[in-house]
Amino acid sequence: MRGQLLKTLVSLMITLLFVGTLLTTLIWYVFNENSVQPQKVPPQKKSAPQPADPCKGCREIIDKVLQRYSPTWKRREDNYQKFRSQLNSKCHGFDKAIITQANTPVGSKLVYDGEKRRSLQVTPEVFSTFTKERPFSNKTWDTCAVVGNGGILTNSSCGQMIDSAQFVIRCNLPPLQNGYEKHVGTKTDLVTANPSILVEKYGALMGRRRPFVKSLRSYGDSLLLIPAFSYGHNTPVSLRAAYTIEDFESPTRPIFFNPEYLQSLAVFWRSQGLRAVRLSTGIIMASLALELCSNVHLYGFWPFSNHPHGLHALTNHYYDNRQTKTKFHAMPAEFDLLLRLHSQGALKLHLGDCQPGEK
């Protein structure tokens, strides 16, 4: 009886102790809730809306370009002759730019300019695809237009001015019809073709070849210049292009870049401060024009994604927005060198729209 009473007493004391602890905790919690002000999270400051930069930071760059470009252009015969002489002495474009049967006989060894350890011995079959004589006479043309494919040509109204040049050079088989005529012109004396275009657009000429021949009609009887010996994999498709033109009796005249010239040109531009894995077609053709022509005009050369006047967005090409391989070409650096030649009066770079009567 006594033991039972003792157990009941202990149980009651434990219960009271538990309730007291719980009550103390509750009182402490309520006290703290009432006496301590809750911390207010400081309101987040909203960033002031930034004005949209249409060219993502390139506004300053374009402004600097326009500062260099804006002075009234004046041809400087002395600067033109000096630069032309340098090019001619280092690269010999008149004689070596194009492979001919005269400068590359059967048995010659062609060293690929893109693969220095690779070479090709000229067989009679390959030799038969070479032009017999130099396509360029020693007499220079008065005016040459080198037409790049930059989006800056879109709605430029430069077609008439381009077509007024004595010799017109175009790059990489660009479209000239379907409304482009007004802005890029139609006259073509020489057009280049990158072998990659032959592979991608015409199935490497392994199947139906007529679409390729039809695409050449817009260039008339122009010279078709192909870098057939820059890389080994370019040679077969380039030769097939020449055979296709012959088989279909197209008036287009295929000619091949001399890899020795391209290598010399790369060395020359490196000496001018240009660092690039490969020269772009544009600067190669501008270089050749400086040897062949007294007055060189460049159109469609603009490496930025926004127009210099108004900064509205531009497509990469005037006919599509396909991006170039930046890991190979250094377009802004090339443009900077061409802009320097413009400032020196050695050539004229056309930026923006063309005005009636402009020269």
Side-chain angles (χ1 to χ4, degrees):
M1 184 73 178
R2 185 179 292 177
Q4 183 66 33
L5 184 61
L6 186 61
K7 285 183 180 178
T8 302
L9 189 59
V10 170
S11 177
L12 183 61
M13 289 176 66
I14 292 173
T15 301
L16 289 172
L17 183 63
F18 174 78
V19 171
T21 304
L22 186 62
L23 195 59
T24 303
T25 303
L26 182 62
I27 293 169
W28 178 88
Y29 179 80
V30 171
F31 177 81
N32 277 282
E33 277 290 288
N34 292 331
S35 62
V36 178
Q37 293 296 321
Q39 287 188 339
K40 294 183 179 179
V41 179
Q44 298 295 318
K45 292 183 178 179
K46 291 185 178 180
S47 299
Q50 298 296 318
D53 187 349
C55 54
K56 296 180 180 179
C58 69
R59 183 191 298 270
E60 293 80 7
I61 297 174
I62 292 178
D63 284 346
K64 289 179 180 178
V65 168
L66 291 180
Q67 284 177 10
R68 295 168 59 190
Y69 181 79
S70 58
T72 303
W73 184 83
K74 183 179 180 181
R75 174 178 164 77
R76 291 282 303 276
E77 181 69 21
D78 54 339
N79 287 339
Y80 159 74
Q81 291 293 351
K82 180 181 177 181
F83 194 79
R84 183 188 185 210
S85 178
Q86 290 176 344
L87 265 176
N88 186 259
S89 64
K90 301 291 184 182
C91 305
H92 308 288
F94 267 117
D95 301 315
K96 293 186 177 180
I98 309 302
I99 289 178
T100 68
Q101 292 184 353
N103 63 26
T104 312
V106 173
S108 300
K109 185 172 76 169
L110 290 171
V111 178
Y112 288 87
D113 63 282
E115 296 178 271
K116 306 297 188 300
R117 297 180 181 178
R118 187 166 188 164
S119 62
L120 174 77
Q121 189 167 20
V122 177
T123 63
E125 183 181 8
V126 172
F127 178 79
S128 68
T129 65
F130 298 165
T131 184
K132 293 181 180 180
E133 301 173 348
R134 288 181 308 182
F136 313 125
S137 64
N138 277 324
K139 181 182 178 181
T140 59
W141 286 282
D142 180 43
T143 57
C144 288
V146 182
V147 188
N149 296 328
I152 194 172
L153 278 174
T154 303
N155 298 323
S156 65
S157 300
C158 287
Q160 186 176 354
M161 190 183 301
I162 289 170
D163 285 350
S164 69
Q166 279 188 311
F167 196 82
V168 179
I169 299 171
R170 302 184 187 272
C171 303
N172 294 328
L173 299 176
L176 304 180
Q177 277 80 40
N178 300 322
Y180 295 127
E181 302 93 330
K182 178 181 177 182
H183 309 296
V184 301
T186 57
K187 181 179 179 180
T188 307
D189 296 284
L190 184 153
V191 61
T192 69
N194 193 312
S196 63
I197 297 174
L198 304 179
V199 172
E200 294 167 14
K201 290 187 67 175
Y202 305 106
L205 300 174
M206 295 295 287
R208 294 187 180 276
R209 301 173 297 161
R210 190 176 297 277
F212 168 63
V213 176
K214 287 179 67 175
S215 72
L216 297 178
R217 290 176 183 170
S218 59
Y219 311 115
D221 62 351
S222 66
L223 297 163
L224 178 66
L225 180 52
I226 310 173
F229 306 101
S230 287
Y231 293 93
H233 61 265
N234 287 347
T235 303
V237 68
S238 300
L239 294 178
R240 284 196 294 274
Y243 298 144
T244 299
I245 288 169
E246 182 181 351
D247 291 346
F248 281 80
E249 298 181 344
S250 168
T252 305
R253 295 167 288 160
I255 54 176
F256 300 134
F257 262 126
N258 189 336
E260 182 183 343
Y261 169 76
L262 294 178
Q263 174 61 20
S264 298
L265 194 60
V267 172
F268 171 80
W269 281 111
R270 205 171 297 130
S271 72
Q272 301 292 310
L274 181 61
R275 298 288 179 266
V277 178
R278 299 282 298 169
L279 297 177
S280 72
T281 302
I283 198 167
I284 291 172
M285 300 318 298
S287 304
L288 185 58
L290 282 163
E291 284 201 58
L292 302 178
C293 317
S294 298
N295 295 276
V296 177
H297 294 255
L298 305 185
Y299 301 84
F301 284 71
W302 181 249
F304 306 109
S305 57
N306 294 80
H307 199 283
H309 308 298
L311 298 178
H312 59 267
L314 296 173
T315 53
N316 193 42
H317 302 126
Y318 70 81
Y319 49 86
D320 69 26
N321 200 30
R322 184 174 180 177
Q323 300 302 305
T324 52
K325 297 178 180 179
T326 53
K327 66 178 182 178
F328 288 115
H329 303 316
M331 295 300 196
E334 289 186 356
F335 178 80
D336 184 72
L337 289 168
L338 294 174
L339 181 58
R340 186 176 73 188
L341 291 173
H342 170 90
S343 300
Q344 294 171 350
L347 56 74
K348 185 169 184 180
L349 189 61
H350 293 264
L351 299 183
D353 299 344
C354 295
Q355 305 301 323
E358 184 183 352
K359 294 183 179 180

